[in-house]
Amino acid sequence: MMKKLLGAAAMAAVVLSIAPASAARMEGCSGTNIGKVETTVEGWADGPAKWAAFKEITDAQTAMLDGKMGACSRHLSSAMHAGMTK
C-alpha cells in the first residue's frame, strides 16, 4: 500500500513539474485553440488514443467554462500527447 502511495506521489510531482511548462507553450485556453486540437484529433485513426483525447478535450471545455484556464491548458496538452502514446 505504501509503495502505491509513494508511486502516486512521485507521478503527481512529475506531472506538476511538467504541467506549467506545457501550459506556458499553449497560446491560451480559448474556443479557437480547443477547436484546433479537436480538428487535429478528428484526423487520427479510431482507437483508444483518439477517445482519450476527446475526453481530454471535453474536460478542457468544462475547465474553460469554469474559469480554470490552467486546467484547461493541461487538458489540451494531454489531448495532443494522447496520440503520441500509441
Coordinates of all heavy atoms in Angstrom, one line a residue:
M1 N 0.8 -1.2 0.0 CA 0.0 0.0 0.0 C 0.9 1.3 0.0 O 0.6 2.2 -0.7 CB -0.9 0.0 1.2 CG -1.8 1.1 1.3 SD -3.1 1.0 0.0 CE -4.2 2.3 0.5
M2 N 1.9 1.2 0.8 CA 2.8 2.4 0.9 C 3.5 2.6 -0.5 O 3.7 3.8 -0.8 CB 3.8 2.2 2.0 CG 4.6 3.4 2.3 SD 3.6 4.7 2.7 CE 4.3 5.1 4.3
K3 N 3.9 1.5 -1.2 CA 4.5 1.7 -2.5 C 3.6 2.4 -3.4 O 4.0 3.2 -4.2 CB 5.0 0.3 -3.0 CG 6.2 -0.2 -2.4 CD 6.6 -1.5 -3.2 CE 8.0 -2.0 -2.7 NZ 8.4 -3.1 -3.4
K4 N 2.3 2.0 -3.4 CA 1.4 2.7 -4.3 C 1.2 4.2 -4.0 O 1.2 5.0 -4.9 CB 0.0 2.0 -4.2 CG 0.0 0.6 -4.8 CD -1.4 0.0 -4.7 CE -1.4 -1.4 -5.3 NZ -2.7 -2.0 -5.2
L5 N 1.2 4.5 -2.7 CA 1.1 5.9 -2.3 C 2.3 6.7 -2.8 O 2.2 7.8 -3.3 CB 0.9 6.0 -0.8 CG -0.5 5.6 -0.3 CD1 -0.5 5.7 1.2 CD2 -1.6 6.5 -0.9
L6 N 3.5 6.1 -2.6 CA 4.7 6.8 -3.0 C 4.8 6.9 -4.5 O 5.2 7.9 -5.0 CB 5.9 6.0 -2.5 CG 6.2 6.1 -0.9 CD1 7.3 5.2 -0.5 CD2 6.5 7.5 -0.5
G7 N 4.3 5.9 -5.2 CA 4.3 5.9 -6.7 C 3.4 7.0 -7.1 O 3.7 7.8 -8.1
A8 N 2.2 7.1 -6.5 CA 1.2 8.1 -6.9 C 1.8 9.5 -6.6 O 1.6 10.5 -7.4 CB -0.1 7.9 -6.2
A9 N 2.5 9.7 -5.5 CA 3.1 11.0 -5.1 C 4.2 11.3 -6.1 O 4.3 12.5 -6.5 CB 3.6 10.9 -3.7
A10 N 4.9 10.4 -6.5 CA 6.0 10.6 -7.5 C 5.4 11.0 -8.8 O 5.9 12.0 -9.5 CB 6.9 9.4 -7.6
M11 N 4.4 10.4 -9.3 CA 3.8 10.7 -10.5 C 3.2 12.1 -10.5 O 3.3 12.9 -11.4 CB 2.7 9.7 -10.9 CG 3.2 8.4 -11.3 SD 4.2 8.5 -12.8 CE 3.0 9.0 -14.0
A12 N 2.5 12.4 -9.3 CA 1.9 13.8 -9.2 C 3.0 14.8 -9.2 O 2.8 15.9 -9.9 CB 1.2 13.9 -7.9
A13 N 4.2 14.6 -8.6 CA 5.3 15.5 -8.7 C 5.8 15.7 -10.1 O 6.1 16.9 -10.5 CB 6.4 15.0 -7.8
V14 N 5.9 14.6 -10.8 CA 6.3 14.8 -12.2 C 5.3 15.6 -13.0 O 5.7 16.5 -13.8 CB 6.6 13.4 -12.8 CG1 6.8 13.5 -14.3 CG2 7.8 12.7 -12.2
V15 N 4.1 15.2 -12.9 CA 3.0 15.9 -13.7 C 3.0 17.4 -13.3 O 2.9 18.3 -14.2 CB 1.6 15.3 -13.4 CG1 0.5 16.1 -14.0 CG2 1.6 13.9 -14.0
L16 N 3.1 17.7 -12.0 CA 3.0 19.1 -11.6 C 4.3 19.9 -12.1 O 4.2 21.1 -12.3 CB 2.8 19.2 -10.1 CG 1.5 18.8 -9.6 CD1 1.4 18.8 -8.1 CD2 0.4 19.7 -10.2
S17 N 5.4 19.2 -12.2 CA 6.6 19.9 -12.7 C 6.6 20.1 -14.2 O 7.1 21.1 -14.7 CB 7.9 19.1 -12.3 OG 7.9 17.9 -13.0
I18 N 5.9 19.3 -14.9 CA 5.8 19.4 -16.4 C 4.6 20.3 -16.8 O 4.7 21.0 -17.7 CB 5.7 18.0 -17.0 CG1 6.9 17.2 -16.8 CG2 5.4 18.1 -18.5 CD1 6.8 15.8 -17.2
A19 N 3.5 20.2 -16.1 CA 2.3 20.9 -16.5 C 2.5 22.4 -16.7 O 2.0 22.9 -17.7 CB 1.2 20.7 -15.4
P20 N 3.2 23.2 -15.8 CA 3.3 24.6 -16.1 C 4.1 24.9 -17.3 O 3.7 25.8 -18.1 CB 4.1 25.1 -14.8 CG 3.8 24.1 -13.8 CD 3.7 22.8 -14.5
A21 N 5.1 24.1 -17.7 CA 5.8 24.3 -18.9 C 4.9 24.0 -20.1 O 5.0 24.8 -21.1 CB 7.0 23.4 -18.9
S22 N 4.1 23.0 -20.0 CA 3.2 22.7 -21.1 C 2.2 23.8 -21.3 O 1.8 24.2 -22.4 CB 2.5 21.4 -20.9 OG 3.4 20.3 -20.8
A23 N 1.7 24.3 -20.2 CA 0.7 25.3 -20.2 C 1.2 26.6 -20.8 O 0.6 27.4 -21.5 CB 0.1 25.6 -18.8
A24 N 2.5 26.9 -20.5 CA 3.1 28.1 -21.0 C 3.3 28.1 -22.5 O 3.2 29.1 -23.2 CB 4.5 28.3 -20.3
R25 N 3.4 26.9 -23.1 CA 3.6 26.7 -24.5 C 2.3 27.0 -25.3 O 2.3 27.3 -26.4 CB 4.2 25.4 -24.9 CG 5.7 25.3 -24.7 CD 6.2 24.0 -25.2 NE 5.8 23.0 -24.1 CZ 5.8 21.7 -24.2 NH1 6.3 21.2 -25.3 NH2 5.4 21.0 -23.3
M26 N 1.2 26.7 -24.6 CA -0.1 26.9 -25.2 C -0.4 28.4 -25.4 O 0.0 29.2 -24.6 CB -1.2 26.3 -24.3 CG -1.2 24.8 -24.2 SD -1.5 23.9 -25.7 CE -3.2 24.4 -26.0
E27 N -1.0 28.7 -26.5 CA -1.3 30.2 -26.7 C -2.3 30.6 -25.7 O -2.5 31.8 -25.5 CB -1.8 30.3 -28.1 CG -0.8 30.0 -29.2 CD -1.3 30.1 -30.6 OE1 -2.4 30.7 -30.8 OE2 -0.7 29.6 -31.5
G28 N -3.0 29.8 -25.1 CA -4.0 30.1 -24.2 C -5.2 29.2 -24.4 O -5.3 28.5 -25.4
C29 N -6.0 29.2 -23.4 CA -7.2 28.3 -23.5 C -8.4 29.1 -24.0 O -8.9 30.1 -23.4 CB -7.6 27.8 -22.1 SG -8.9 26.6 -22.1
S30 N -8.7 28.8 -25.3 CA -9.8 29.6 -25.9 C -10.6 28.6 -26.8 O -10.1 27.5 -27.1 CB -9.2 30.7 -26.8 OG -8.5 30.1 -27.9
G31 N -11.7 29.0 -27.2 CA -12.5 28.2 -28.1 C -11.8 27.9 -29.4 O -11.9 26.8 -29.9
T32 N -11.0 28.8 -29.8 CA -10.2 28.7 -31.1 C -9.2 27.5 -30.9 O -9.1 26.7 -31.8 CB -9.5 30.0 -31.5 OG1 -10.5 31.0 -31.6 CG2 -8.8 29.8 -32.7
N33 N -8.5 27.6 -29.8 CA -7.5 26.5 -29.5 C -8.1 25.2 -29.3 O -7.6 24.2 -29.8 CB -6.6 26.9 -28.4 CG -5.6 28.0 -28.7 OD1 -5.4 28.3 -29.9 ND2 -5.1 28.7 -27.7
I34 N -9.2 25.1 -28.6 CA -9.9 23.9 -28.4 C -10.3 23.3 -29.8 O -10.2 22.1 -30.1 CB -11.1 24.0 -27.5 CG1 -10.6 24.3 -26.0 CG2 -12.0 22.8 -27.5 CD1 -11.6 24.6 -25.0
G35 N -10.8 24.2 -30.6 CA -11.3 23.8 -32.0 C -10.1 23.3 -32.8 O -10.2 22.3 -33.5
K36 N -8.9 23.9 -32.7 CA -7.7 23.4 -33.4 C -7.4 22.0 -33.0 O -7.1 21.1 -33.8 CB -6.6 24.4 -33.2 CG -6.7 25.7 -33.9 CD -5.5 26.6 -33.5 CE -5.6 28.0 -34.1 NZ -4.5 28.8 -33.7
V37 N -7.4 21.8 -31.7 CA -7.0 20.5 -31.1 C -8.0 19.4 -31.6 O -7.7 18.3 -32.0 CB -6.9 20.5 -29.6 CG1 -6.7 19.1 -29.0 CG2 -5.7 21.4 -29.2
E38 N -9.3 19.8 -31.5 CA -10.4 18.9 -31.9 C -10.2 18.5 -33.3 O -10.4 17.3 -33.7 CB -11.7 19.5 -31.6 CG -12.9 18.6 -31.7 CD -14.2 19.2 -31.2 OE1 -14.3 20.4 -31.0 OE2 -15.1 18.4 -31.0
T39 N -9.9 19.5 -34.2 CA -9.8 19.2 -35.6 C -8.6 18.2 -35.9 O -8.7 17.3 -36.7 CB -9.5 20.5 -36.4 OG1 -10.7 21.3 -36.2 CG2 -9.3 20.3 -37.9
T40 N -7.5 18.5 -35.1 CA -6.3 17.6 -35.2 C -6.7 16.2 -34.8 O -6.4 15.2 -35.5 CB -5.2 18.1 -34.4 OG1 -4.8 19.4 -34.8 CG2 -4.0 17.2 -34.5
V41 N -7.4 16.0 -33.7 CA -7.7 14.7 -33.2 C -8.7 14.0 -34.1 O -8.6 12.8 -34.3 CB -8.3 14.8 -31.7 CG1 -8.8 13.5 -31.2 CG2 -7.2 15.3 -30.8
E42 N -9.6 14.7 -34.7 CA -10.6 14.1 -35.7 C -9.9 13.4 -36.8 O -10.4 12.4 -37.4 CB -11.5 15.1 -36.2 CG -12.6 15.5 -35.2 CD -13.4 16.7 -35.7 OE1 -13.2 17.2 -36.8 OE2 -14.4 17.0 -35.0
G43 N -8.7 13.8 -37.2 CA -7.9 13.2 -38.2 C -7.2 11.9 -37.8 O -6.7 11.2 -38.7
W44 N -7.1 11.6 -36.6 CA -6.5 10.4 -36.1 C -7.3 9.2 -36.4 O -8.5 9.2 -36.5 CB -6.2 10.4 -34.6 CG -5.3 11.5 -34.1 CD1 -4.5 12.3 -34.9 CD2 -5.0 11.9 -32.8 NE1 -3.8 13.2 -34.1 CE2 -4.1 12.9 -32.8 CE3 -5.5 11.4 -31.6 CZ2 -3.6 13.5 -31.7 CZ3 -5.0 12.0 -30.4 CH2 -4.1 13.1 -30.5
A45 N -6.7 8.0 -36.5 CA -7.4 6.7 -36.6 C -8.2 6.4 -35.4 O -7.7 6.8 -34.3 CB -6.4 5.6 -36.9
D46 N -9.3 5.8 -35.5 CA -10.1 5.4 -34.4 C -9.3 4.5 -33.5 O -8.6 3.6 -34.0 CB -11.4 4.7 -34.8 CG -12.4 5.7 -35.5 OD1 -12.2 6.9 -35.4 OD2 -13.4 5.2 -36.1
G47 N -9.5 4.7 -32.2 CA -8.8 3.8 -31.2 C -8.7 4.5 -29.9 O -9.3 5.6 -29.7
P48 N -8.1 3.8 -28.9 CA -8.1 4.3 -27.6 C -7.5 5.7 -27.4 O -7.9 6.5 -26.6 CB -7.2 3.3 -26.8 CG -7.3 2.1 -27.6 CD -7.5 2.5 -29.1
A49 N -6.4 6.0 -28.2 CA -5.8 7.3 -28.1 C -6.7 8.4 -28.5 O -6.8 9.5 -27.9 CB -4.5 7.3 -28.9
K50 N -7.5 8.2 -29.6 CA -8.4 9.2 -30.1 C -9.5 9.4 -29.0 O -9.9 10.6 -28.8 CB -9.0 8.7 -31.4 CG -10.0 9.7 -32.0 CD -10.4 9.3 -33.4 CE -11.3 10.3 -34.1 NZ -11.6 9.9 -35.5
W51 N -10.0 8.4 -28.4 CA -11.1 8.5 -27.5 C -10.6 9.2 -26.2 O -11.3 10.0 -25.6 CB -11.8 7.2 -27.2 CG -12.2 6.5 -28.4 CD1 -12.0 5.2 -28.7 CD2 -12.9 7.0 -29.6 NE1 -12.4 4.8 -30.0 CE2 -13.0 5.9 -30.5 CE3 -13.4 8.2 -29.9 CZ2 -13.6 6.1 -31.8 CZ3 -14.0 8.4 -31.2 CH2 -14.1 7.3 -32.1
A52 N -9.4 8.9 -25.8 CA -8.8 9.5 -24.6 C -8.6 11.0 -24.9 O -8.9 11.9 -24.0 CB -7.5 8.9 -24.3
A53 N -8.2 11.4 -26.1 CA -8.0 12.8 -26.5 C -9.3 13.5 -26.5 O -9.4 14.7 -26.0 CB -7.4 12.9 -27.9
F54 N -10.4 12.9 -27.0 CA -11.7 13.5 -27.0 C -12.2 13.8 -25.5 O -12.8 14.8 -25.2 CB -12.7 12.7 -27.8 CG -12.7 13.1 -29.2 CD1 -12.6 12.1 -30.2 CD2 -12.8 14.4 -29.7 CE1 -12.6 12.3 -31.5 CE2 -12.8 14.7 -31.1 CZ -12.7 13.7 -32.0
K55 N -11.9 12.8 -24.6 CA -12.3 13.0 -23.2 C -11.5 14.2 -22.7 O -12.1 15.1 -21.9 CB -12.0 11.8 -22.4 CG -12.3 12.1 -20.9 CD -12.4 10.8 -20.1 CE -12.7 11.1 -18.7 NZ -12.8 12.4 -18.1
E56 N -10.2 14.4 -23.0 CA -9.4 15.5 -22.5 C -10.0 16.8 -23.1 O -10.0 17.8 -22.4 CB -8.0 15.3 -22.9 CG -7.3 14.2 -22.1 CD -7.1 14.5 -20.7 OE1 -7.2 15.6 -20.2 OE2 -6.8 13.5 -19.9
I57 N -10.4 16.8 -24.3 CA -11.0 18.0 -24.9 C -12.3 18.4 -24.2 O -12.5 19.6 -23.9 CB -11.2 17.8 -26.4 CG1 -9.9 17.6 -27.2 CG2 -12.1 18.9 -27.0 CD1 -10.1 17.2 -28.6
T58 N -13.1 17.4 -23.9 CA -14.3 17.7 -23.1 C -14.0 18.3 -21.8 O -14.6 19.2 -21.3 CB -15.1 16.4 -23.0 OG1 -15.5 15.9 -24.3 CG2 -16.4 16.7 -22.2
D59 N -13.0 17.7 -21.1 CA -12.5 18.2 -19.8 C -12.0 19.6 -19.9 O -12.2 20.5 -19.1 CB -11.5 17.3 -19.2 CG -12.1 15.9 -18.8 OD1 -13.3 15.8 -18.7 OD2 -11.2 15.0 -18.6
A60 N -11.3 19.9 -21.0 CA -10.8 21.3 -21.3 C -11.9 22.3 -21.4 O -11.8 23.4 -20.9 CB -9.9 21.3 -22.5
Q61 N -12.9 21.9 -22.2 CA -14.1 22.8 -22.3 C -14.7 23.1 -21.0 O -15.1 24.2 -20.7 CB -15.1 22.1 -23.3 CG -14.6 22.1 -24.7 CD -15.5 21.2 -25.6 OE1 -16.1 20.3 -25.2 NE2 -15.4 21.5 -26.9
T62 N -14.9 22.0 -20.2 CA -15.5 22.2 -18.9 C -14.7 23.1 -18.0 O -15.2 24.0 -17.4 CB -15.7 20.8 -18.2 OG1 -16.5 20.0 -19.0 CG2 -16.3 21.0 -16.8
A63 N -13.4 22.9 -18.0 CA -12.5 23.8 -17.2 C -12.5 25.2 -17.7 O -12.5 26.1 -16.9 CB -11.0 23.2 -17.3
M64 N -12.6 25.4 -19.0 CA -12.6 26.8 -19.6 C -13.9 27.5 -19.1 O -13.9 28.6 -18.7 CB -12.6 26.8 -21.1 CG -12.6 28.2 -21.7 SD -12.4 28.2 -23.5 CE -14.1 27.7 -24.0
L65 N -15.0 26.7 -19.2 CA -16.3 27.3 -18.7 C -16.3 27.6 -17.2 O -17.0 28.6 -16.8 CB -17.5 26.4 -19.1 CG -17.7 26.2 -20.6 CD1 -18.8 25.1 -20.8 CD2 -18.2 27.5 -21.2
D66 N -15.5 26.9 -16.5 CA -15.4 27.1 -15.0 C -14.4 28.2 -14.7 O -14.2 28.5 -13.5 CB -15.1 25.8 -14.3 CG -16.2 24.8 -14.3 OD1 -17.4 25.2 -14.6 OD2 -16.0 23.6 -14.1
G67 N -13.7 28.7 -15.7 CA -12.7 29.7 -15.5 C -11.4 29.2 -15.0 O -10.5 30.0 -14.5
K68 N -11.1 27.9 -15.2 CA -9.9 27.3 -14.7 C -9.0 27.2 -16.0 O -8.8 26.1 -16.5 CB -10.1 26.0 -14.1 CG -11.0 26.1 -12.9 CD -11.4 24.7 -12.3 CE -12.3 24.9 -11.1 NZ -12.8 23.6 -10.6
M69 N -8.3 28.2 -16.3 CA -7.5 28.3 -17.6 C -6.3 27.4 -17.5 O -5.9 26.8 -18.5 CB -7.1 29.7 -17.9 CG -8.3 30.6 -18.2 SD -9.5 29.8 -19.3 CE -10.4 31.2 -19.9
G70 N -5.7 27.2 -16.4 CA -4.5 26.4 -16.2 C -4.9 24.9 -16.4 O -4.2 24.2 -17.2
A71 N -6.0 24.5 -15.8 CA -6.5 23.1 -16.0 C -6.9 22.9 -17.5 O -6.6 21.8 -18.0 CB -7.7 22.9 -15.1
C72 N -7.5 23.9 -18.1 CA -7.9 23.8 -19.5 C -6.7 23.6 -20.4 O -6.7 22.7 -21.2 CB -8.6 25.1 -19.9 SG -9.1 25.1 -21.7
S73 N -5.6 24.3 -20.1 CA -4.4 24.2 -20.9 C -3.8 22.8 -20.7 O -3.3 22.2 -21.7 CB -3.4 25.3 -20.6 OG -3.9 26.5 -21.0
R74 N -3.8 22.3 -19.5 CA -3.2 21.0 -19.2 C -4.0 19.9 -20.0 O -3.5 19.0 -20.5 CB -3.2 20.7 -17.7 CG -2.1 21.4 -17.0 CD -1.9 21.0 -15.6 NE -3.1 21.2 -14.8 CZ -3.4 22.3 -14.1 NH1 -2.6 23.4 -14.2 NH2 -4.5 22.4 -13.4
H75 N -5.4 20.0 -20.0 CA -6.2 19.1 -20.7 C -5.9 19.1 -22.2 O -5.9 18.0 -22.8 CB -7.7 19.3 -20.4 CG -8.1 18.8 -19.0 ND1 -8.0 17.5 -18.6 CD2 -8.6 19.5 -18.0 CE1 -8.5 17.5 -17.4 NE2 -8.8 18.7 -17.0
L76 N -5.8 20.3 -22.7 CA -5.5 20.4 -24.2 C -4.1 19.8 -24.5 O -4.0 19.1 -25.5 CB -5.5 21.9 -24.6 CG -6.8 22.5 -24.8 CD1 -6.7 24.0 -25.2 CD2 -7.7 21.7 -25.8
S77 N -3.1 20.0 -23.6 CA -1.8 19.4 -23.8 C -1.9 17.9 -23.7 O -1.3 17.2 -24.5 CB -0.9 19.9 -22.7 OG 0.4 19.3 -22.9
S78 N -2.7 17.4 -22.8 CA -2.9 15.9 -22.6 C -3.6 15.3 -23.8 O -3.2 14.2 -24.3 CB -3.7 15.6 -21.4 OG -3.0 16.0 -20.2
A79 N -4.5 16.1 -24.4 CA -5.2 15.6 -25.6 C -4.2 15.4 -26.8 O -4.2 14.4 -27.5 CB -6.3 16.6 -26.0
M80 N -3.3 16.4 -26.9 CA -2.3 16.3 -28.0 C -1.3 15.2 -27.8 O -0.9 14.6 -28.7 CB -1.6 17.6 -28.2 CG -2.5 18.7 -28.8 SD -3.3 18.3 -30.3 CE -1.9 18.0 -31.4
H81 N -1.0 15.0 -26.5 CA 0.0 13.9 -26.2 C -0.6 12.5 -26.2 O 0.1 11.6 -26.3 CB 0.6 14.2 -24.8 CG 1.6 15.3 -24.9 ND1 1.3 16.6 -24.5 CD2 2.9 15.4 -25.2 CE1 2.3 17.4 -24.6 NE2 3.3 16.7 -25.1
A82 N -1.9 12.4 -26.2 CA -2.6 11.1 -26.3 C -2.2 10.4 -27.5 O -2.1 9.2 -27.6 CB -4.1 11.3 -26.1
G83 N -2.1 11.1 -28.6 CA -1.7 10.5 -29.9 C -0.3 10.0 -30.0 O 0.0 9.1 -30.8
M84 N 0.5 10.5 -29.1 CA 2.0 10.1 -29.1 C 2.2 8.8 -28.3 O 3.3 8.2 -28.4 CB 2.8 11.2 -28.5 CG 2.8 12.4 -29.3 SD 3.8 13.7 -28.5 CE 3.3 15.1 -29.3
T85 N 1.2 8.3 -27.6 CA 1.4 7.2 -26.7 C 0.8 5.9 -27.4 O 0.5 4.9 -26.7 CB 0.6 7.4 -25.4 OG1 -0.8 7.6 -25.6 CG2 1.2 8.5 -24.6
K86 N 0.7 5.9 -28.7 CA 0.2 4.7 -29.4 C 1.1 3.5 -29.2 O 2.2 3.5 -29.2 CB 0.0 5.0 -30.9 CG -1.0 6.0 -31.1 CD -1.1 6.3 -32.6 CE -2.1 7.4 -32.9 NZ -2.3 7.7 -34.3

